[in-house]
């Protein structure tokens, strides 16, 4: 898949640094994500992939550097930050659906409270999104009544309902039983085909190969390699990447 | 055997007890919720206030608080809470004291409920652009309340019994009447039993009802 034209940068990280105490989790990260691009982030455990994702919608603060989303630097706090977060969709490893709300209410909540849509409009949109991710029939159930794969697809619908400019996925299939992984990946592939800008942290190499425009390989808080999936899987340059690939591809 | 009850307004006294309980319960639910919100807020000053309030108020005997509302607030500072008749002033002061005291316990019960709400849901709520007050109001507190109905029932039952302290500032609730009757009649055991049963009639159904509610509203995870 060709990388979309470099002109249209949607998310830009410049010299981003982050510490947890003495641990330097993000070390001068520079990364640009273009509109319509699908970037897969991979790397060993503890390399800072989740922190990177969370920094992009400021669930984590950063110590230095700058993060720009669609031309606007990340605001520090308050109303503007909330508005920016609404533009950046996030899907978590553990789904994190609102347990006391039905599936439908999970998907309408943000539309009504953040986007100020009428309930009827919000419900229409929610139903069409639930249909798109294949869980329309579950709309009136509570999250605990759904399988993991269904819950994760609802979580994707919940994020999409905000009409985000970019979607962040932090290991969206890692908590799923194997037979459910594909139903979620298929939804993500479809999103990618529809032109959604996506940053996906995943260990699913098949998804990286088939859907990613670019692979970012992280280790020890740094971006070690940044290239096309083909290049990365067949010609990794760094020893860290070679080592990592040999481990994950051989079991 | 119950002839001596003639001339005493037993129901009236228990009605005052019920009123003290209901007003104080509503007051402490509101103020306790605000305190809990302060204790989890990102603003350090609010957190500090909430923590200090709970730790101080929880550790003062209720009698001291109630007496303070009367001697300190009313007689020294002239706070009469908008009432003119003495009995009304004392009633309102008692509600104020009971509310101030009970809300500390409501706050702590709620805070333990807040801690049962998975952090991931809070992050997901922030991630769709909800503000801190919205996250609290729409996601955290509804689940927190559901998980602490049972502990809150205990707080309510304790409050019902604690209203007897209002007798110290002359509020004509059940305990005050009981004291009066014991002084006037030679029926110590019987009178005590009557009032004990009266309180059981208030507290037992509360416990049973809220126990049922607790099961009914529990959030499935
Ligand atoms: N809130 C936190 N406080 C302290 N240390 C943290 C915190 N969150 C993450 N870390 C540490 O920061 C490092 C990077 O964590 P991060 O979750 O970003 O890694 P990751 O690449 O997503 O790993 P994994 O593949 O296991 O999810 C890890 O060593 C982790 O222990
Ligand atoms: Mg992670």
């Amino acid at each position: 898949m060709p990388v979309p034209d470099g002109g249209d940068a949607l998310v830009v990280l410049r010299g981003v640094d982050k510490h947890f105490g003495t641990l330097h989790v993000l070390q001068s990260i520079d990364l640009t994500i273009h509109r319509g691009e699908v970037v897969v982030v991979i790397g060993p455990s503890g390399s800072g992939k989740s922190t990177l994702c969370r920094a992009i919608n400021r669930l984590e603060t950063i110590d230095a550097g700058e993060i720009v989303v669609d031309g606007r630097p990340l605001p520090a706090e308050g109303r503007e930050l909330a508005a920016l977060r609404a533009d950046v969709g996030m899907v978590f490893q553990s789904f994190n659906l609102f347990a006391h709300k039905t599936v439908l209410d999970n998907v309408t909540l943000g539309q009504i409270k953040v986007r100020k849509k009428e309930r009827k409009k919000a419900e229409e949109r929610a139903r069409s999104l639930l249909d798109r991710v294949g869980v329309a029939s579950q709309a009136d159930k509570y999250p605990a009544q759904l399988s993991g794969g269904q819950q994760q697809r609802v979580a994707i619908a919940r994020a999409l309902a905000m009409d985000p400019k970019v979607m962040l996925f932090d290991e969206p299939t890692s908590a799923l039983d194997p037979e459910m992984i594909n139903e979620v990946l298929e939804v993500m592939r479809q999103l990618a085909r529809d032109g959604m800008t996506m940053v996906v942290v995943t260990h699913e190499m098949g998804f990286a190969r088939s859907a990613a425009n670019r692979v970012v390989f992280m280790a020890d808080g740094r971006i070690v390699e940044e290239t096309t999936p083909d290049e990365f899987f067949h010609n990794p340059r760094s020893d860290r990447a070679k080592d990592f690939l040999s481990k994950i591809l051989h079991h | 055997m119950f002839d001596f009850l003639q001339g005493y307004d037993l129901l009236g006294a228990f009605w005052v007890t019920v009123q003290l309980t209901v007003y104080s319960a509503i007051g402490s639910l509101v103020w306790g919720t605000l305190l809990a919100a302060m204790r989890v807020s990102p603003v350090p000053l609010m957190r500090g206030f909430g923590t200090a309030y709970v730790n101080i108020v929880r550790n003062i005997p209720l009698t001291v608080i109630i007496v303070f509302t009367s001697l300190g607030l009313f007689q020294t500072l002239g706070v009469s809470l908008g009432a003119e008749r003495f009995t009304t002033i004392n009633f309102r002061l008692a509600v104020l004291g009971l509310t101030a005291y009970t809300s500390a316990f409501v706050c702590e019960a709620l805070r333990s409920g807040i801690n049962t709400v998975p952090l991931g849901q809070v992050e997901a709520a922030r991630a769709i652009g909800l503000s801190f007050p919205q996250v609290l109001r729409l996601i955290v507190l509804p689940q927190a309340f559901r998980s602490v109905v049972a502990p809150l029932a205990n707080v309510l039952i304790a409050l019902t019994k604690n209203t007897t302290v209002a007798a110290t500032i002359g509020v004509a609730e059940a305990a005050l009447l009981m004291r009066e009757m014991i002084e006037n009649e030679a029926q110590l055991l019987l009178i005590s039993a009557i009032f004990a049963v009266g309180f059981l009639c208030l507290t037992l159904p509360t416990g049973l009802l809220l126990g049922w509610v607790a099961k009914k509203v529990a959030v499935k995870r």
Side-chain angles (χ1 to χ4, degrees), chain A residues 20 23 25 44-51 171:
Chain A
F20 281 122
L23 186 68
V25 272
S45 179
S47 55
K49 309 175 300 288
S50 295
T51 310
E171 303 203 28

Side-chain angles (χ1 to χ4, degrees), chain A:
Chain A
M1 234 179 263
V3 177
D5 187 36
D8 201 4
L10 183 58
V11 180
V12 182
L13 291 84
R14 279 191 212 101
V16 171
D17 270 292
K18 166 85 187 170
H19 296 80
F20 281 122
T22 55
L23 186 68
H24 201 170
V25 272
L26 296 180
Q27 307 189 22
S28 40
I29 299 285
D30 292 304
L31 179 65
T32 300
I33 294 140
H34 301 100
R35 215 176 287 275
E37 192 181 20
V38 177
V39 174
V40 161
V41 180
I42 61 179
S45 179
S47 55
K49 309 175 300 288
S50 295
T51 310
L52 179 76
C53 261
R54 295 161 56 81
I56 294 177
N57 68 353
R58 211 171 175 290
L59 288 174
E60 297 287 355
T61 56
I62 56 174
D63 302 333
E66 156 177 69
I67 299 178
V68 178
V69 176
D70 205 12
R72 288 167 45 210
L74 270 195
E77 259 312 323
R79 204 172 297 261
E80 278 169 65
L81 177 61
L84 173 124
R85 287 214 184 101
D87 286 344
V88 178
M90 178 120 183
V91 175
F92 302 83
Q93 181 175 343
S94 48
F95 331 136
N96 298 341
L97 293 179
F98 308 133
H100 63 308
K101 294 196 173 289
T102 63
V103 163
L104 188 71
D105 288 344
N106 265 273
V107 186
T108 56
L109 184 75
Q111 301 184 65
I112 295 169
K113 298 293 175 179
V114 178
R115 297 292 192 216
K116 310 288 178 204
K117 273 202 227 169
E118 280 171 45
R119 172 170 299 275
K120 200 162 153 284
K121 290 254 166 61
E123 279 183 8
E124 263 167 38
R125 171 94 170 118
R127 286 192 196 279
S128 92
L129 284 169
L130 289 173
D131 189 44
R132 182 163 156 199
V133 299
V135 288
S137 59
Q138 316 291 325
D140 298 319
K141 290 193 184 162
Y142 285 88
Q145 298 170 290
L146 270 56
S147 73
Q150 291 172 324
Q151 289 192 50
Q152 192 61 299
R153 286 181 282 150
V154 173
I156 293 174
R158 174 177 67 182
L160 289 175
M162 306 308 293
D163 298 315
K165 292 171 178 161
V166 51
M167 289 274 285
L168 312 173
F169 295 82
D170 188 5
E171 303 203 28
T173 57
S174 298
L176 296 176
D177 294 336
E179 71 272 19
M180 295 172 186
I181 290 178
N182 256 318
E183 64 191 44
V184 171
L185 290 181
E186 196 39 56
V187 166
M188 292 168 60
R189 279 196 193 95
Q190 186 57 49
L191 264 183
R193 281 194 290 270
D194 294 345
M196 176 58 78
T197 311
M198 296 162 64
V199 177
V200 185
V201 178
T202 185
H203 295 296
E204 292 298 326
M205 297 305 137
F207 177 82
R209 281 207 180 92
S210 64
N213 303 112
R214 192 151 47 115
V215 170
V216 168
F217 176 71
M218 284 184 78
D220 301 328
R222 291 175 194 281
I223 293 180
V224 179
E225 265 184 63
E226 200 183 331
T227 179
T228 60
D230 253 9
E231 270 295 300
F232 181 75
F233 290 112
H234 297 120
N235 270 320
R237 273 164 294 160
S238 63
D239 291 339
R240 289 302 301 263
K242 284 178 195 159
D243 184 46
F244 176 78
L245 283 173
S246 75
K247 277 182 192 138
I248 60 160
L249 296 180
H250 291 164
H251 73 217

